[in-house]
């Protein structure tokens, strides 16, 4: 019997099967020579570096681009923002470049406590160092050159430790070094880079020596929480402070046990700020919406201004143009003033759509560019040169190119305005008939 056939003796070959004919499986055992794999590998070339491969036309541009994104250019400005969410707090480090018209988050750091104050360490030999005051009694110093840092480079002070008293109560033990309460403000000395001042809810001001991380001296001249401090720009021994006791104090820190001069104002002191155009004068704002201009040689204010309806939470005095004061408030408004000859005049008032505005800072390289921190949208930039009322009043060159805006309001503002106009048209008649309008309540926290 032919093993290749069936019962009828008819042979089966792949040629007769149309689907397998193309593969020529019946010739598989007759194949001779190379299997084909070694022939393929014989023409394979391996290069140690992609730059040597003639077929790699893009080379390593990808890695170069990543390095460029991380690198900080000489023309870049860094803006550090403390942000608090419901379940965590972090530090956002923004890059702003006026020439390239960019503004973005370079990296961020996770914080262990709610941030209340930030201060750039002047002339730090360690690089870009930022000091952070928080609800904790310690001050953390972070190295911003480390993108993936998980803890501060070092801390000032000792954390409060809770000592058990029996089984019912816990008694807080006062730290031996530093503050015993939250740190509300920080100020780095422009003339002595190793000195950092901190203001606390424990009613004291600590002067830290960053070289030894110890308190050099303590100022105890307030009877309530110390809210704000500011070093003099040229005299490294002179410090201003303001507190909840409605008092502004002037110190010669070489004599920590004495207070050089005091002013009692109408309201809790929110901010104090030296005038960069006049070394003898400074500004102070209160929770009642007032701004005072004071001279260290005089007892009475040079002027008293009712700037806002609520607390004035931030002050910014421009060096160019001079006499240009910008104020921000819990009433949601930012206002620009001309304070020439101590006669303040309102230039413009603008609602930034940020709800409560908590702070303001100016760009050291572009004094007209301001950063605002608010309850909504985090941080916003404002260039005074884009406001016609401002550049006409102070006779400065206008900037027709608006600053980059990362806020949600900026992207939705135009569309929202159009929608609201249509909505008002539809509901206006019904509101007039009802004679009542419903108001949406918002829960606002004040820090």
């Amino acid at each position: 019997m032919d093993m290749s056939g069936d019962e009828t003796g008819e042979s089966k070959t792949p040629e007769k099967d149309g689907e397998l004919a193309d593969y020529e499986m019946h010739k598989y055992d007759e194949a001779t020579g190379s299997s084909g794999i070694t022939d393929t590998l014989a023409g394979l070339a391996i290069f140690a570096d992609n730059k040597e491969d003639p077929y790699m036309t893009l080379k390593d541009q990808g890695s170069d681009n990543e390095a460029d994104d991380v690198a900080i250019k000489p023309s870049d400005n860094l803006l550090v923002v403390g942000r608090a969410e419901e379940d965590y707090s972090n530090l956002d480090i923004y890059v702003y470049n006026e020439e390239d018209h960019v503004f973005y988050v370079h990296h961020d750091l996770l914080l262990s406590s709610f941030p209340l104050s930030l201060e750039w360490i002047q002339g730090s030999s360690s690089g870009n160092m930022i000091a952070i005051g928080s609800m904790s009694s310690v001050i953390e110093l972070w190295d911003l050159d480390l993108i993936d840092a998980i803890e501060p480079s070092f801390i000032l002070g000792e954390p409060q430790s809770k000592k058990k008293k029996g089984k019912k109560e816990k008694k807080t033990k006062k730290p031996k070094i530093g503050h015993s309460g939250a740190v509300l403000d920080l100020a780095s000395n422009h003339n002595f880079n190793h000195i950092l001042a901190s203001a606390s809810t424990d009613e004291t001001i600590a002067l830290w020596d960053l070289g030894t991380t110890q308190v050099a001296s303590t100022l105890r001249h307030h009877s309530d929480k110390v809210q704000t401090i500011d070093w003099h720009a040229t005299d490294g021994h002179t410090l201003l402070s303001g507190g909840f006791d409605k008092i502004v104090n002037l110190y010669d820190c070489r004599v920590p046990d004495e207070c050089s001069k005091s002013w009692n104002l109408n309201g809790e002191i929110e901010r104090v700020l030296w005038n960069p155009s006049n070394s003898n004068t400074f500004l102070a704002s209160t929770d009642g919406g007032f701004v005072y201009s004071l001279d260290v040689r005089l007892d009475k204010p040079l002027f008293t201004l009712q700037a806002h309806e609520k607390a004035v939470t931030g002050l910014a005095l421009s060096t160019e143009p001079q006499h240009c004061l910008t104020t921000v408030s819990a009433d949601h408004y930012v206002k620009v003033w001309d304070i020439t000859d101590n006669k303040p005049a309102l230039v413009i008032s603008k609602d930034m759509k940020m709800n409560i505005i908590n702070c303001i800072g100016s760009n050291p390289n572009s004094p007209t560019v301001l950063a605002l921190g608010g309850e909504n949208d985090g941080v916003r930039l404002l260039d005074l040169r884009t406001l016609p009322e401002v550049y006409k009043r102070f006779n400065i060159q206008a900037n027709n190119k608006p600053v980059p805006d990362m806020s949600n309001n900026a992207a939705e503002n135009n569309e929202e305005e159009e929608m609201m106009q249509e909505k008002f048209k539809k509901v206006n008649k019904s509101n007039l008939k009802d004679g009542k309008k419903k108001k949406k309540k918002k829960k606002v926290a004040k820090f």
Side-chain angles (χ1 to χ4, degrees), residues 33-143:
S34 174
S35 63
I37 298 177
T38 55
D39 292 341
T40 303
L41 295 177
L44 180 65
I46 300 176
F47 297 92
D49 192 338
N50 287 339
K51 295 180 180 179
E52 301 175 4
D53 191 342
Y55 296 100
M56 293 291 291
T57 57
L58 296 178
K59 305 301 179 185
D60 290 328
Q61 291 182 4
S63 60
D64 293 340
N65 289 336
E66 292 178 2
D68 292 341
D69 291 340
V70 175
I72 303 298
K73 302 177 183 178
S75 57
D76 287 340
N77 289 115
L78 293 184
L79 175 63
V80 183
V81 179
R83 184 161 56 90
E85 301 293 345
E86 292 183 1
D87 51 353
Y88 71 93
S89 299
N90 67 321
L91 201 68
D92 292 336
I93 295 87
Y94 289 80
V95 169
Y96 169 68
N97 190 298
E98 186 172 353
E99 297 177 1
D100 298 339
H101 197 67
V102 295
F103 182 52
Y104 62 93
V105 177
H106 185 268
H107 65 283
D108 60 357
L109 302 171
L110 188 64
L111 302 178
S112 60
S113 185
F114 190 97
L116 296 176
S117 55
L118 304 174
E119 179 70 356
W120 200 279
I121 303 302
Q122 303 287 336
S124 173
S125 58
S126 303
N128 292 311
M129 298 293 293
I130 192 79
I132 305 175
S134 65
M135 296 297 292
S136 170
S137 59
V138 300
I139 301 168
E140 297 181 346
L141 283 95
W142 291 76
D143 187 351

Side-chain angles (χ1 to χ4, degrees), residues 115-411:
L116 296 176
S117 55
L118 304 174
E119 179 70 356
W120 200 279
I121 303 302
Q122 303 287 336
S124 173
S125 58
S126 303
N128 292 311
M129 298 293 293
I130 192 79
I132 305 175
S134 65
M135 296 297 292
S136 170
S137 59
V138 300
I139 301 168
E140 297 181 346
L141 283 95
W142 291 76
D143 187 351
L144 299 183
D145 294 332
L146 300 178
I147 295 180
D148 297 326
I150 60 175
E151 61 182 3
S153 299
F154 60 95
I155 63 173
L156 303 176
E158 295 179 350
Q160 293 183 2
S161 58
K162 293 184 177 180
K163 187 177 180 180
K164 292 184 179 180
K165 187 179 180 182
K167 296 182 179 180
K168 297 180 179 179
E169 299 180 357
K170 290 183 179 181
K171 186 178 180 181
T172 301
K173 187 178 180 181
K174 186 177 180 180
K176 296 180 180 179
I177 301 175
H179 294 293
S180 60
V183 179
L184 301 182
D185 200 12
L186 296 165
S188 179
N189 197 305
H190 307 285
N191 299 278
F192 304 104
N193 298 332
H194 65 290
I195 299 297
L196 175 70
S198 59
S200 173
T201 58
D202 64 7
E203 304 176 7
T204 68
I205 300 171
L207 304 182
W208 298 87
D209 186 340
L210 297 180
T212 62
T213 67
Q214 300 296 314
V215 177
S217 58
T218 303
L219 308 179
R220 307 177 186 275
H221 300 282
H222 282 280
S223 59
D224 205 339
K225 303 177 184 68
V226 187
Q227 172 93 326
T228 174
I229 50 178
D230 192 31
W231 287 105
H232 195 277
T234 56
D235 187 353
H237 300 289
T238 303
L239 179 71
L240 277 174
S241 71
F244 281 37
D245 54 7
K246 305 180 182 180
I247 293 177
V248 174
N249 286 332
L250 176 68
Y251 308 96
D252 182 345
C253 293
R254 291 170 293 189
V255 190
D257 295 332
E258 297 181 6
C259 181
S260 302
K261 197 174 183 67
S262 296
W263 294 265
N264 197 337
L265 304 181
N266 185 20
E268 297 177 358
I269 312 303
E270 291 284 339
R271 305 303 303 169
V272 291
L273 178 68
W274 285 103
N275 189 340
S277 302
N278 187 335
S279 60
N280 292 316
T281 63
F282 65 92
L283 297 172
S285 66
T286 69
D287 63 343
F290 285 91
V291 174
Y292 296 85
S293 177
L294 299 128
D295 191 312
V296 296
R297 300 162 297 184
L298 303 174
D299 295 328
K300 295 183 179 181
L302 299 174
F303 68 75
T304 301
L305 171 66
Q306 175 72 63
H308 294 267
E309 296 179 358
K310 296 183 179 181
V312 179
T313 53
L315 301 168
L317 263 175
S318 176
T319 56
E320 186 61 39
Q322 293 185 357
H323 312 299
C324 179
L325 168 65
T326 306
T327 60
V328 295
S329 171
D331 65 6
H332 309 177
Y333 281 88
V334 55
K335 295 184 180 181
V336 181
W337 306 85
D338 183 356
I339 59 172
T340 304
D341 298 328
N342 293 317
K343 297 178 180 179
L346 180 62
V347 179
I348 187 175
S349 176
K350 185 178 179 64
D351 186 351
M352 297 299 293
K353 309 297 183 183
M354 301 175 71
N355 281 2
I356 296 175
I357 304 178
N358 298 315
C359 56
I360 184 172
S362 58
N363 187 331
N365 301 119
S366 300
T368 59
V369 179
L370 306 173
L372 312 177
E375 189 180 33
N376 287 350
D377 291 328
V379 63
R380 300 273 295 277
L381 296 182
L382 175 66
D383 190 345
L384 300 179
R385 295 170 298 178
T386 63
L387 305 175
E389 296 86 351
V390 175
Y391 63 70
K392 290 179 181 178
R393 176 82 181 197
F394 294 98
N395 194 25
I396 58 176
Q397 185 177 359
N399 183 8
N400 296 323
K401 194 174 183 180
V403 292
D405 197 339
M406 297 180 62
S407 68
N408 296 327
N409 285 330

